Amino acid sequence: MSGRWTYLVCYDICDPKRLRRVYKILRGFGDHWQYSVFRCVLSDARKVRLMTRLDQIIHHGEDQVLIAPLGPAGGQNESNIQTIGKRLEPAEKSAKVL
């Protein structure tokens, strides 16, 4: 895999403290879509970095993180996501002035 790929990252974390930590990490890597679902566009290096950080936090006997590739960033699979019910709104991208 070269270039950037889009991934659907879902998690089930049993401990509230670890849950908050996983959520904060994923916010730095992608767009929060639903309660425990993120869309992340990652290079190979960023994917490894994300997986390493999550691996250090989760409890391997209790927690689970799923990382599903959707294909190259901007590709057909990324735009073919369908919803039933409430429409999936694109993530708001704006600059923050401090």
Side-chain angles (χ1 to χ4, degrees):
M1 279 189 261
S2 64
R4 296 177 345 140
W5 275 55
T6 302
Y7 296 90
L8 194 64
V9 181
C10 311
Y11 54 90
D12 182 15
I13 309 297
C14 295
D15 176 70
K17 183 177 179 180
R18 289 194 310 268
L19 176 66
R20 284 189 300 276
R21 292 180 70 195
V22 167
Y23 174 81
K24 286 180 182 179
I25 288 171
L26 281 165
R27 287 213 39 198
F29 284 87
D31 300 322
H32 185 221
W33 272 4
Q34 290 186 354
Y35 178 67
S36 61
V37 178
F38 278 78
R39 175 190 158 270
C40 301
V41 177
L42 305 169
S43 65
D44 290 343
R46 281 189 51 85
K47 181 182 175 200
V48 169
R49 199 166 21 245
L50 171 63
M51 292 177 69
T52 300
R53 291 191 60 194
L54 293 173
D55 185 60
Q56 295 169 347
I57 290 172
I58 70 165
H59 184 287
H60 292 261
E62 296 177 358
D63 303 332
Q64 183 180 59
V65 178
L66 303 174
I67 302 172
L70 297 179
Q76 179 180 359
N77 288 339
E78 184 178 348
S79 61
N80 279 342
I81 296 172
Q82 298 177 330
T83 62
I84 298 173
K86 184 178 171 185
R87 197 179 111 181
L88 179 62
E89 298 295 330
E92 183 179 316
K93 300 286 184 186
S94 61
K96 294 180 182 177
V97 179
L98 301 175

